[in-house]
Amino acid sequence: MSAPPVTLDNCADEPIHVPGAIQPHGALLALAGEHLVAWSANAAERLGCRCQAGLALPALGLPAAVLQTCRTLMDEALQQDGLASAAAVQLQGRVHDLVVHRHEGRTLLEFEQRASADDDVAAFALMAHRAIERLKKAPSLDALLQRAADAVRQLTGFDRVMSYRFRHDQSGDVVAEALAPGLQPYLGRRYPASDIPAQARRLYILNSLRLISDVGYQPVPLLGRPGDAPLDLTHAVLRSVSPIHVEYLQNMGVGASMSVSIVVQGALWGMLACHHMTPRQVPYSVRMSCDVLAQVVSSAVQTFQSRELARRQSQGAALVSALGLEANHSDDLVAALAAHSPDLLQVFGADAAVLAQGRRLRVVGTLPAALAEAALNALPARDNGLLALDDRADWPPALQPLLPGWAGLLLLTADAHTRSRVLLLRREQVHTVRWGGVPDKPVTIGPRGPRLTPRGSFDEWRQTVRGRSLPWDATSLQTARELLTELQRASLSQQAETEVARLNLLAMLGHDLRDPLQAIHMVAGLLKQDDQVPRLAHRLEASSRRMQRLISQVLDFSRAEAGLQLASSFEPVDLRSLLDDLVEESRLGHPEVPVVLQLPGAETIATPAPSNPSNPSNPSNPSKPSNPSGPTGALPAPGPAAAALVTGDASRLAQLLGNLLANARHHGQPGTPVRLTLQPQPGQWQLSVCNHGEPIDAATAATLFQPLRRGPAGSSRNRDGLGLGLFIAARIATEHGATLGYSHEAGQVVFTLRLPACD
């Protein structure tokens, strides 16, 4: 019945459930049906019975009362394999706890001598009841585990009781501790996963409580019929433990130990680990009270975890809903996500985020933008749109040197074509772990020869963990998948809208180019004649300018849709000079619409209304106003004033302001002026472009800055545009860090541009 010796070659696979021996504070009988098949070597002496293979239970010579109790407990054990039943019996003038269970066709009867009186056991039961009530009222997980450690120490009298919680990598932390005065605290230390091998974890789940009453015990071998397989002691309370674990405890100076498993949803979540510096026998009923207490802890842990999971899921669902709504109603994915960036980082437990769409990129956190862009370029797009890594060694080789100090990444690719992506980053766990001893077990010559010998020192040993982050757990990944689905849905919707817009653009472009092309064709025919050349040349120039403007808008729209910047060269620009040029250009090109320009520190400048409305273009002398002293007044030269400096691309700012001015000309009431007002504001310049007109209805106002909006059907004005002017103006404003908005004030339509001033 003996098990093979544990050596260096088979240590990792040590069959600890069939040790071939028991601990000496009790005796064991194993029956097949009612016949004895195995027994501990001390059974005959300790129980005062006969032990011989094949003897029936009544022939063993046990007292009648004990025999009756055995039969009762054996009947109960038949209900479920591994389920233990227990009762107190008198043998050899001493009280024993008889524990019976059935496993793999064998019925095991374990007789464990009781060290405490019956009244003491009753007092223990009352303490256990009170402790369980306190556990049920624990306000937090930390409080629960501390109360559990306190209760088990009070029930058992162990010198040290630790609440031990396992991590994702099977290492574990001492998160609560109750100990006798003078002992060194282990609170806060982490113990490596190798302290509890896989086969031991399995037994901790199947048999949730294990006692070693005397670490220095000599195992009692099991005897039985020759040739029988070793007896499986998975559920036995007297099972002898691994010699490796005995060495482990002896090296810690422990005289007795007990462990109670905390099992949550079928997995080993943690345990209550008890140590005593001298041998200590704990009655079975007290141990069962501790086992019940651990089950209460397990239930409470599951409740706390369920609440936390529900909270995280609710938080994640709210974020996904908000971001999905924003993404579906915004053409700018980066801006939509950035508005919720604090929640994004909190829900995913990330330290930084990179939001990208085309060439637009926003970084949330301390990561430099250049590194963020390089990181995105080095990351491959996944077929399923999701990439989750928590070890820098698993990163693409080109990415690893770019982000020192970072180890976790979660990449969501909403649209590979438009490069719409969200990258969440976690820092590596560059912290010192307080290991309870060196985690690597050295190979040495131990008391049983060459083998894995448990470490000899449990002084605190520090190890720095690098290159790994906390893993992305199932909740984070599920939230990521849901968010990715919303972003992909929004991307598909935007693609559909863009395709419709492109078709509309082509249709409008073909229609709007027809008139100037027809005019050019007509003028070309007339130029063959020798009369009216100046007038026809002016008409030809006007048509070509219109075609050039339409084509420029289409090119700008294409650049914007491709994620390219419109502005290219940023330098100081004087808004005063820029506005002077625009007003002069408007006066020459559109003298029929007066423009009033108000600059700070200068008199109002107004363009005059034409003196000959029947010939507004005055083609014979387009550079000279028809009536310099018309009804709106003269054009006095402004006095010297400080420049209104901003940083930007002069040509693009001119395009922006020109689009606003053209919009005001086309939509203003005939015969009323367009007013441009420049005002200084703290840290910025405010420019207003106003024209007389009715308020824009809410539906139209909501889409003013979207492309291909040409106003209400049947409008008699602005028929020569593509509906791209305000869209391009808003895009230029965004690239300059400016804001552009609409309002209606005192009967006027007002577009207000706010540009940051030069420092």
Side-chain angles (χ1 to χ4, degrees), residues 582-583 586 590 592-598 604-607 632 657-677 687-693 748-751:
L582 285 173
V583 170
S586 180
H590 305 276
E592 75 280 6
V593 180
V595 179
V596 178
L597 175 61
Q598 185 173 355
T604 301
I605 304 173
T607 61
T632 57
L657 298 175
N659 284 350
L660 294 181
L661 188 55
N663 186 73
R665 283 198 307 265
H666 291 142
H667 294 284
Q669 293 179 0
T672 61
V674 174
R675 181 179 296 273
L676 281 75
T677 305
L687 175 66
S688 300
V689 181
C690 314
N691 64 271
H692 290 271
Q748 291 195 330
V749 173
V750 182
F751 283 89

mmCIF file of all heavy atoms in Angstrom, residues 582-583 586 590 592-598 604-607 632 657-677 687-693 748-751:
data_model
loop_
_atom_site.group_PDB
_atom_site.id
_atom_site.type_symbol
_atom_site.label_atom_id
_atom_site.label_comp_id
_atom_site.label_asym_id
_atom_site.label_seq_id
_atom_site.Cartn_x
_atom_site.Cartn_y
_atom_site.Cartn_z
ATOM 1 N N LEU A 582 -9.614 91.599 -47.791
ATOM 2 C CA LEU A 582 -10.867 90.931 -48.124
ATOM 3 C C LEU A 582 -11.966 91.929 -48.445
ATOM 4 O O LEU A 582 -12.762 91.738 -49.383
ATOM 5 C CB LEU A 582 -11.300 90.028 -46.959
ATOM 6 C CG LEU A 582 -10.528 88.723 -46.782
ATOM 7 C CD1 LEU A 582 -10.949 88.030 -45.491
ATOM 8 C CD2 LEU A 582 -10.771 87.801 -47.968
ATOM 9 N N VAL A 583 -12.040 92.999 -47.657
ATOM 10 C CA VAL A 583 -13.066 94.010 -47.908
ATOM 11 C C VAL A 583 -12.828 94.687 -49.257
ATOM 12 O O VAL A 583 -13.758 94.929 -50.035
ATOM 13 C CB VAL A 583 -13.087 95.037 -46.763
ATOM 14 C CG1 VAL A 583 -13.970 96.231 -47.112
ATOM 15 C CG2 VAL A 583 -13.594 94.373 -45.485
ATOM 16 N N SER A 586 -13.903 92.331 -51.937
ATOM 17 C CA SER A 586 -15.357 92.266 -52.036
ATOM 18 C C SER A 586 -15.911 93.507 -52.712
ATOM 19 O O SER A 586 -16.857 93.431 -53.509
ATOM 20 C CB SER A 586 -15.961 92.108 -50.637
ATOM 21 O OG SER A 586 -17.366 92.047 -50.702
ATOM 22 N N HIS A 590 -17.879 92.644 -55.860
ATOM 23 C CA HIS A 590 -19.315 92.710 -55.583
ATOM 24 C C HIS A 590 -19.673 94.099 -55.068
ATOM 25 O O HIS A 590 -20.096 94.265 -53.917
ATOM 26 C CB HIS A 590 -19.713 91.640 -54.562
ATOM 27 C CG HIS A 590 -19.328 90.250 -54.959
ATOM 28 N ND1 HIS A 590 -20.102 89.470 -55.779
ATOM 29 C CD2 HIS A 590 -18.219 89.514 -54.669
ATOM 30 C CE1 HIS A 590 -19.516 88.303 -55.964
ATOM 31 N NE2 HIS A 590 -18.361 88.308 -55.303
ATOM 32 N N GLU A 592 -22.148 95.793 -55.512
ATOM 33 C CA GLU A 592 -23.569 95.982 -55.227
ATOM 34 C C GLU A 592 -23.912 95.688 -53.766
ATOM 35 O O GLU A 592 -25.003 96.030 -53.302
ATOM 36 C CB GLU A 592 -24.399 95.082 -56.147
ATOM 37 C CG GLU A 592 -24.414 93.609 -55.801
ATOM 38 C CD GLU A 592 -23.169 92.877 -56.286
ATOM 39 O OE1 GLU A 592 -22.239 93.538 -56.804
ATOM 40 O OE2 GLU A 592 -23.119 91.634 -56.154
ATOM 41 N N VAL A 593 -23.004 95.031 -53.021
ATOM 42 C CA VAL A 593 -23.259 94.699 -51.609
ATOM 43 C C VAL A 593 -22.296 95.494 -50.739
ATOM 44 O O VAL A 593 -21.088 95.212 -50.732
ATOM 45 C CB VAL A 593 -23.091 93.195 -51.343
ATOM 46 C CG1 VAL A 593 -23.366 92.889 -49.870
ATOM 47 C CG2 VAL A 593 -24.006 92.373 -52.229
ATOM 48 N N PRO A 594 -22.783 96.508 -50.008
ATOM 49 C CA PRO A 594 -21.874 97.275 -49.148
ATOM 50 C C PRO A 594 -21.352 96.420 -47.995
ATOM 51 O O PRO A 594 -22.052 95.567 -47.457
ATOM 52 C CB PRO A 594 -22.745 98.425 -48.634
ATOM 53 C CG PRO A 594 -24.134 98.080 -48.960
ATOM 54 C CD PRO A 594 -24.155 96.970 -49.964
ATOM 55 N N VAL A 595 -20.102 96.654 -47.615
ATOM 56 C CA VAL A 595 -19.474 95.942 -46.503
ATOM 57 C C VAL A 595 -18.969 96.968 -45.501
ATOM 58 O O VAL A 595 -18.228 97.890 -45.871
ATOM 59 C CB VAL A 595 -18.306 95.055 -46.983
ATOM 60 C CG1 VAL A 595 -17.662 94.351 -45.798
ATOM 61 C CG2 VAL A 595 -18.784 94.038 -47.999
ATOM 62 N N VAL A 596 -19.361 96.810 -44.245
ATOM 63 C CA VAL A 596 -18.934 97.700 -43.170
ATOM 64 C C VAL A 596 -17.905 96.961 -42.324
ATOM 65 O O VAL A 596 -18.181 95.876 -41.812
ATOM 66 C CB VAL A 596 -20.123 98.140 -42.301
ATOM 67 C CG1 VAL A 596 -19.642 99.027 -41.153
ATOM 68 C CG2 VAL A 596 -21.155 98.870 -43.146
ATOM 69 N N LEU A 597 -16.721 97.549 -42.217
ATOM 70 C CA LEU A 597 -15.637 96.933 -41.443
ATOM 71 C C LEU A 597 -15.325 97.788 -40.239
ATOM 72 O O LEU A 597 -15.015 98.978 -40.381
ATOM 73 C CB LEU A 597 -14.380 96.772 -42.310
ATOM 74 C CG LEU A 597 -13.124 96.252 -41.600
ATOM 75 C CD1 LEU A 597 -13.358 94.870 -41.022
ATOM 76 C CD2 LEU A 597 -11.935 96.244 -42.566
ATOM 77 N N GLN A 598 -15.413 97.205 -39.044
ATOM 78 C CA GLN A 598 -15.121 97.928 -37.809
ATOM 79 C C GLN A 598 -13.935 97.260 -37.127
ATOM 80 O O GLN A 598 -14.021 96.111 -36.699
ATOM 81 C CB GLN A 598 -16.343 97.936 -36.889
ATOM 82 C CG GLN A 598 -16.146 98.790 -35.636
ATOM 83 C CD GLN A 598 -17.425 98.927 -34.832
ATOM 84 O OE1 GLN A 598 -18.480 98.465 -35.253
ATOM 85 N NE2 GLN A 598 -17.342 99.581 -33.693
ATOM 86 N N THR A 604 -14.845 103.405 -38.567
ATOM 87 C CA THR A 604 -15.565 102.423 -39.373
ATOM 88 C C THR A 604 -15.286 102.647 -40.842
ATOM 89 O O THR A 604 -15.320 103.773 -41.339
ATOM 90 C CB THR A 604 -17.071 102.517 -39.107
ATOM 91 O OG1 THR A 604 -17.305 102.280 -37.732
ATOM 92 C CG2 THR A 604 -17.838 101.503 -39.953
ATOM 93 N N ILE A 605 -15.002 101.559 -41.543
ATOM 94 C CA ILE A 605 -14.733 101.624 -42.972
ATOM 95 C C ILE A 605 -15.887 100.953 -43.688
ATOM 96 O O ILE A 605 -16.243 99.822 -43.364
ATOM 97 C CB ILE A 605 -13.413 100.914 -43.321
ATOM 98 C CG1 ILE A 605 -12.271 101.516 -42.493
ATOM 99 C CG2 ILE A 605 -13.120 101.004 -44.806
ATOM 100 C CD1 ILE A 605 -10.976 100.777 -42.656
ATOM 101 N N ALA A 606 -16.470 101.641 -44.657
ATOM 102 C CA ALA A 606 -17.618 101.088 -45.372
ATOM 103 C C ALA A 606 -17.383 101.151 -46.863
ATOM 104 O O ALA A 606 -16.843 102.129 -47.378
ATOM 105 C CB ALA A 606 -18.894 101.843 -45.015
ATOM 106 N N THR A 607 -17.787 100.115 -47.560
ATOM 107 C CA THR A 607 -17.740 100.167 -49.022
ATOM 108 C C THR A 607 -19.006 100.831 -49.518
ATOM 109 O O THR A 607 -20.095 100.597 -48.971
ATOM 110 C CB THR A 607 -17.633 98.764 -49.620
ATOM 111 O OG1 THR A 607 -18.791 98.037 -49.238
ATOM 112 C CG2 THR A 607 -16.406 98.045 -49.134
ATOM 113 N N THR A 632 -23.374 105.480 -48.302
ATOM 114 C CA THR A 632 -22.854 104.926 -47.048
ATOM 115 C C THR A 632 -21.624 105.666 -46.574
ATOM 116 O O THR A 632 -21.041 105.314 -45.560
ATOM 117 C CB THR A 632 -22.495 103.444 -47.225
ATOM 118 O OG1 THR A 632 -21.546 103.330 -48.283
ATOM 119 C CG2 THR A 632 -23.724 102.629 -47.556
ATOM 120 N N LEU A 657 -12.426 83.366 -43.890
ATOM 121 C CA LEU A 657 -13.147 84.634 -43.799
ATOM 122 C C LEU A 657 -13.861 84.945 -45.111
ATOM 123 O O LEU A 657 -14.961 85.513 -45.122
ATOM 124 C CB LEU A 657 -12.182 85.750 -43.423
ATOM 125 C CG LEU A 657 -11.493 85.579 -42.059
ATOM 126 C CD1 LEU A 657 -10.455 86.669 -41.837
ATOM 127 C CD2 LEU A 657 -12.516 85.598 -40.945
ATOM 128 N N GLY A 658 -13.231 84.581 -46.230
ATOM 129 C CA GLY A 658 -13.877 84.791 -47.522
ATOM 130 C C GLY A 658 -15.153 83.981 -47.653
ATOM 131 O O GLY A 658 -16.152 84.459 -48.202
ATOM 132 N N ASN A 659 -15.143 82.748 -47.138
ATOM 133 C CA ASN A 659 -16.356 81.929 -47.166
ATOM 134 C C ASN A 659 -17.459 82.537 -46.313
ATOM 135 O O ASN A 659 -18.635 82.520 -46.692
ATOM 136 C CB ASN A 659 -16.043 80.515 -46.680
ATOM 137 C CG ASN A 659 -15.310 79.685 -47.708
ATOM 138 O OD1 ASN A 659 -15.173 80.080 -48.858
ATOM 139 N ND2 ASN A 659 -14.819 78.525 -47.298
ATOM 140 N N LEU A 660 -17.100 83.060 -45.134
ATOM 141 C CA LEU A 660 -18.102 83.703 -44.280
ATOM 142 C C LEU A 660 -18.668 84.947 -44.947
ATOM 143 O O LEU A 660 -19.880 85.220 -44.883
ATOM 144 C CB LEU A 660 -17.487 84.063 -42.927
ATOM 145 C CG LEU A 660 -17.046 82.894 -42.034
ATOM 146 C CD1 LEU A 660 -16.473 83.425 -40.726
ATOM 147 C CD2 LEU A 660 -18.202 81.948 -41.751
ATOM 148 N N LEU A 661 -17.809 85.738 -45.578
ATOM 149 C CA LEU A 661 -18.248 86.951 -46.258
ATOM 150 C C LEU A 661 -19.145 86.604 -47.445
ATOM 151 O O LEU A 661 -20.183 87.242 -47.671
ATOM 152 C CB LEU A 661 -17.024 87.754 -46.714
ATOM 153 C CG LEU A 661 -17.271 89.153 -47.286
ATOM 154 C CD1 LEU A 661 -18.055 90.014 -46.308
ATOM 155 C CD2 LEU A 661 -15.944 89.816 -47.630
ATOM 156 N N ALA A 662 -18.765 85.578 -48.225
ATOM 157 C CA ALA A 662 -19.586 85.157 -49.358
ATOM 158 C C ALA A 662 -20.937 84.642 -48.882
ATOM 159 O O ALA A 662 -21.981 84.905 -49.502
ATOM 160 C CB ALA A 662 -18.851 84.079 -50.145
ATOM 161 N N ASN A 663 -20.949 83.904 -47.772
ATOM 162 C CA ASN A 663 -22.194 83.402 -47.216
ATOM 163 C C ASN A 663 -23.117 84.548 -46.822
ATOM 164 O O ASN A 663 -24.327 84.519 -47.078
ATOM 165 C CB ASN A 663 -21.885 82.513 -46.000
ATOM 166 C CG ASN A 663 -23.127 81.833 -45.452
ATOM 167 O OD1 ASN A 663 -23.655 80.912 -46.038
ATOM 168 N ND2 ASN A 663 -23.589 82.306 -44.306
ATOM 169 N N ALA A 664 -22.535 85.584 -46.198
ATOM 170 C CA ALA A 664 -23.337 86.745 -45.792
ATOM 171 C C ALA A 664 -23.875 87.499 -47.010
ATOM 172 O O ALA A 664 -25.014 87.987 -47.007
ATOM 173 C CB ALA A 664 -22.488 87.667 -44.918
ATOM 174 N N ARG A 665 -23.075 87.628 -48.056
ATOM 175 C CA ARG A 665 -23.530 88.313 -49.268
ATOM 176 C C ARG A 665 -24.698 87.575 -49.912
ATOM 177 O O ARG A 665 -25.695 88.171 -50.321
ATOM 178 C CB ARG A 665 -22.390 88.417 -50.280
ATOM 179 C CG ARG A 665 -21.358 89.486 -49.982
ATOM 180 C CD ARG A 665 -20.539 89.807 -51.230
ATOM 181 N NE ARG A 665 -19.958 88.619 -51.841
ATOM 182 C CZ ARG A 665 -18.728 88.186 -51.596
ATOM 183 N NH1 ARG A 665 -17.950 88.846 -50.749
ATOM 184 N NH2 ARG A 665 -18.270 87.108 -52.194
ATOM 185 N N HIS A 666 -24.581 86.257 -49.984
ATOM 186 C CA HIS A 666 -25.589 85.482 -50.688
ATOM 187 C C HIS A 666 -26.904 85.403 -49.930
ATOM 188 O O HIS A 666 -27.973 85.325 -50.543
ATOM 189 C CB HIS A 666 -25.067 84.061 -50.952
ATOM 190 C CG HIS A 666 -23.956 84.014 -51.949
ATOM 191 N ND1 HIS A 666 -22.891 83.150 -51.825
ATOM 192 C CD2 HIS A 666 -23.725 84.731 -53.077
ATOM 193 C CE1 HIS A 666 -22.056 83.335 -52.836
ATOM 194 N NE2 HIS A 666 -22.553 84.285 -53.608
ATOM 195 N N HIS A 667 -26.836 85.397 -48.608
ATOM 196 C CA HIS A 667 -28.042 85.173 -47.814
ATOM 197 C C HIS A 667 -28.581 86.437 -47.166
ATOM 198 O O HIS A 667 -29.664 86.398 -46.573
ATOM 199 C CB HIS A 667 -27.774 84.121 -46.736
ATOM 200 C CG HIS A 667 -27.502 82.753 -47.292
ATOM 201 N ND1 HIS A 667 -28.484 81.946 -47.781
ATOM 202 C CD2 HIS A 667 -26.337 82.068 -47.465
ATOM 203 C CE1 HIS A 667 -27.969 80.807 -48.206
ATOM 204 N NE2 HIS A 667 -26.657 80.859 -48.036
ATOM 205 N N GLY A 668 -27.849 87.559 -47.237
ATOM 206 C CA GLY A 668 -28.339 88.801 -46.646
ATOM 207 C C GLY A 668 -29.483 89.398 -47.445
ATOM 208 O O GLY A 668 -29.640 89.151 -48.642
ATOM 209 N N GLN A 669 -30.294 90.203 -46.782
ATOM 210 C CA GLN A 669 -31.390 90.873 -47.481
ATOM 211 C C GLN A 669 -30.831 91.863 -48.488
ATOM 212 O O GLN A 669 -29.898 92.617 -48.187
ATOM 213 C CB GLN A 669 -32.288 91.587 -46.470
ATOM 214 C CG GLN A 669 -33.045 90.635 -45.552
ATOM 215 C CD GLN A 669 -33.900 91.370 -44.543
ATOM 216 O OE1 GLN A 669 -33.926 92.611 -44.537
ATOM 217 N NE2 GLN A 669 -34.596 90.624 -43.702
ATOM 218 N N PRO A 670 -31.384 91.895 -49.725
ATOM 219 C CA PRO A 670 -30.876 92.815 -50.746
ATOM 220 C C PRO A 670 -30.924 94.267 -50.283
ATOM 221 O O PRO A 670 -31.877 94.700 -49.625
ATOM 222 C CB PRO A 670 -31.818 92.573 -51.929
ATOM 223 C CG PRO A 670 -32.369 91.198 -51.709
ATOM 224 C CD PRO A 670 -32.469 91.040 -50.227
ATOM 225 N N GLY A 671 -29.886 95.013 -50.592
ATOM 226 C CA GLY A 671 -29.819 96.421 -50.249
ATOM 227 C C GLY A 671 -29.325 96.697 -48.848
ATOM 228 O O GLY A 671 -29.228 97.858 -48.442
ATOM 229 N N THR A 672 -29.016 95.650 -48.053
ATOM 230 C CA THR A 672 -28.509 95.847 -46.692
ATOM 231 C C THR A 672 -27.031 95.486 -46.655
ATOM 232 O O THR A 672 -26.574 94.611 -47.406
ATOM 233 C CB THR A 672 -29.273 94.969 -45.682
ATOM 234 O OG1 THR A 672 -29.093 93.599 -46.031
ATOM 235 C CG2 THR A 672 -30.763 95.298 -45.694
ATOM 236 N N PRO A 673 -26.272 96.158 -45.785
ATOM 237 C CA PRO A 673 -24.831 95.903 -45.762
ATOM 238 C C PRO A 673 -24.484 94.636 -44.976
ATOM 239 O O PRO A 673 -25.262 94.141 -44.163
ATOM 240 C CB PRO A 673 -24.277 97.142 -45.055
ATOM 241 C CG PRO A 673 -25.378 97.563 -44.142
ATOM 242 C CD PRO A 673 -26.669 97.254 -44.872
ATOM 243 N N VAL A 674 -23.284 94.140 -45.248
ATOM 244 C CA VAL A 674 -22.657 93.086 -44.442
ATOM 245 C C VAL A 674 -21.677 93.769 -43.499
ATOM 246 O O VAL A 674 -20.906 94.640 -43.917
ATOM 247 C CB VAL A 674 -21.925 92.071 -45.331
ATOM 248 C CG1 VAL A 674 -21.153 91.079 -44.470
ATOM 249 C CG2 VAL A 674 -22.907 91.337 -46.239
ATOM 250 N N ARG A 675 -21.723 93.374 -42.233
ATOM 251 C CA ARG A 675 -20.882 94.041 -41.237
ATOM 252 C C ARG A 675 -19.835 93.059 -40.691
ATOM 253 O O ARG A 675 -20.182 91.955 -40.276
ATOM 254 C CB ARG A 675 -21.725 94.585 -40.091
ATOM 255 C CG ARG A 675 -20.924 95.320 -39.006
ATOM 256 C CD ARG A 675 -21.842 95.852 -37.921
ATOM 257 N NE ARG A 675 -22.745 96.855 -38.463
ATOM 258 C CZ ARG A 675 -22.435 98.149 -38.551
ATOM 259 N NH1 ARG A 675 -21.253 98.575 -38.136
ATOM 260 N NH2 ARG A 675 -23.304 99.003 -39.039
ATOM 261 N N LEU A 676 -18.568 93.512 -40.702
ATOM 262 C CA LEU A 676 -17.469 92.744 -40.114
ATOM 263 C C LEU A 676 -16.937 93.526 -38.927
ATOM 264 O O LEU A 676 -16.577 94.707 -39.072
ATOM 265 C CB LEU A 676 -16.335 92.508 -41.118
ATOM 266 C CG LEU A 676 -16.518 91.395 -42.152
ATOM 267 C CD1 LEU A 676 -17.492 91.839 -43.229
ATOM 268 C CD2 LEU A 676 -15.186 91.027 -42.783
ATOM 269 N N THR A 677 -16.879 92.878 -37.749
ATOM 270 C CA THR A 677 -16.417 93.547 -36.534
ATOM 271 C C THR A 677 -15.315 92.719 -35.894
ATOM 272 O O THR A 677 -15.510 91.524 -35.612
ATOM 273 C CB THR A 677 -17.569 93.731 -35.527
ATOM 274 O OG1 THR A 677 -18.632 94.429 -36.161
ATOM 275 C CG2 THR A 677 -17.092 94.506 -34.304
ATOM 276 N N LEU A 687 -14.065 87.841 -34.166
ATOM 277 C CA LEU A 687 -14.499 88.439 -35.424
ATOM 278 C C LEU A 687 -15.931 88.004 -35.699
ATOM 279 O O LEU A 687 -16.230 86.810 -35.716
ATOM 280 C CB LEU A 687 -13.589 87.994 -36.572
ATOM 281 C CG LEU A 687 -14.013 88.451 -37.971
ATOM 282 C CD1 LEU A 687 -13.903 89.969 -38.080
ATOM 283 C CD2 LEU A 687 -13.162 87.778 -39.033
ATOM 284 N N SER A 688 -16.797 89.005 -35.922
ATOM 285 C CA SER A 688 -18.201 88.719 -36.220
ATOM 286 C C SER A 688 -18.515 89.150 -37.638
ATOM 287 O O SER A 688 -18.122 90.235 -38.080
ATOM 288 C CB SER A 688 -19.127 89.458 -35.241
ATOM 289 O OG SER A 688 -18.869 89.060 -33.910
ATOM 290 N N VAL A 689 -19.232 88.284 -38.365
ATOM 291 C CA VAL A 689 -19.701 88.584 -39.715
ATOM 292 C C VAL A 689 -21.222 88.555 -39.671
ATOM 293 O O VAL A 689 -21.818 87.511 -39.400
ATOM 294 C CB VAL A 689 -19.159 87.564 -40.735
ATOM 295 C CG1 VAL A 689 -19.640 87.907 -42.144
ATOM 296 C CG2 VAL A 689 -17.643 87.503 -40.689
ATOM 297 N N CYS A 690 -21.866 89.708 -39.938
ATOM 298 C CA CYS A 690 -23.312 89.847 -39.752
ATOM 299 C C CYS A 690 -23.982 90.260 -41.056
ATOM 300 O O CYS A 690 -23.435 91.068 -41.822
ATOM 301 C CB CYS A 690 -23.639 90.879 -38.680
ATOM 302 S SG CYS A 690 -22.672 90.732 -37.160
ATOM 303 N N ASN A 691 -25.160 89.728 -41.266
ATOM 304 C CA ASN A 691 -26.005 90.186 -42.369
ATOM 305 C C ASN A 691 -27.453 90.182 -41.914
ATOM 306 O O ASN A 691 -27.852 89.385 -41.055
ATOM 307 C CB ASN A 691 -25.826 89.296 -43.605
ATOM 308 C CG ASN A 691 -26.278 87.873 -43.373
ATOM 309 O OD1 ASN A 691 -25.495 87.043 -42.938
ATOM 310 N ND2 ASN A 691 -27.542 87.557 -43.652
ATOM 311 N N HIS A 692 -28.240 91.097 -42.479
ATOM 312 C CA HIS A 692 -29.660 91.158 -42.137
ATOM 313 C C HIS A 692 -30.363 89.938 -42.711
ATOM 314 O O HIS A 692 -30.189 89.598 -43.885
ATOM 315 C CB HIS A 692 -30.287 92.446 -42.693
ATOM 316 C CG HIS A 692 -29.817 93.673 -41.993
ATOM 317 N ND1 HIS A 692 -30.430 94.181 -40.878
ATOM 318 C CD2 HIS A 692 -28.765 94.489 -42.253
ATOM 319 C CE1 HIS A 692 -29.780 95.271 -40.476
ATOM 320 N NE2 HIS A 692 -28.763 95.481 -41.302
ATOM 321 N N GLY A 693 -31.164 89.271 -41.859
ATOM 322 C CA GLY A 693 -31.883 88.095 -42.328
ATOM 323 C C GLY A 693 -32.692 87.459 -41.218
ATOM 324 O O GLY A 693 -32.514 87.776 -40.028
ATOM 325 N N GLN A 748 -30.291 90.107 -37.138
ATOM 326 C CA GLN A 748 -29.129 89.805 -37.974
ATOM 327 C C GLN A 748 -28.643 88.373 -37.729
ATOM 328 O O GLN A 748 -28.666 87.867 -36.600
ATOM 329 C CB GLN A 748 -27.988 90.786 -37.686
ATOM 330 C CG GLN A 748 -28.280 92.204 -38.145
ATOM 331 C CD GLN A 748 -27.019 93.038 -38.174
ATOM 332 O OE1 GLN A 748 -26.099 92.811 -37.410
ATOM 333 N NE2 GLN A 748 -26.979 94.029 -39.063
ATOM 334 N N VAL A 749 -28.225 87.746 -38.838
ATOM 335 C CA VAL A 749 -27.552 86.452 -38.754
ATOM 336 C C VAL A 749 -26.077 86.721 -38.467
ATOM 337 O O VAL A 749 -25.431 87.501 -39.189
ATOM 338 C CB VAL A 749 -27.710 85.670 -40.072
ATOM 339 C CG1 VAL A 749 -26.863 84.401 -40.033
ATOM 340 C CG2 VAL A 749 -29.176 85.328 -40.317
ATOM 341 N N VAL A 750 -25.543 86.099 -37.399
ATOM 342 C CA VAL A 750 -24.183 86.400 -36.949
ATOM 343 C C VAL A 750 -23.371 85.100 -36.905
ATOM 344 O O VAL A 750 -23.783 84.124 -36.273
ATOM 345 C CB VAL A 750 -24.173 87.055 -35.547
ATOM 346 C CG1 VAL A 750 -22.744 87.395 -35.133
ATOM 347 C CG2 VAL A 750 -25.053 88.286 -35.525
ATOM 348 N N PHE A 751 -22.236 85.097 -37.608
ATOM 349 C CA PHE A 751 -21.247 84.036 -37.477
ATOM 350 C C PHE A 751 -20.046 84.618 -36.740
ATOM 351 O O PHE A 751 -19.492 85.645 -37.165
ATOM 352 C CB PHE A 751 -20.831 83.497 -38.848
ATOM 353 C CG PHE A 751 -21.851 82.583 -39.457
ATOM 354 C CD1 PHE A 751 -22.873 83.084 -40.252
ATOM 355 C CD2 PHE A 751 -21.804 81.223 -39.202
ATOM 356 C CE1 PHE A 751 -23.822 82.241 -40.795
ATOM 357 C CE2 PHE A 751 -22.753 80.368 -39.748
ATOM 358 C CZ PHE A 751 -23.771 80.882 -40.544
#
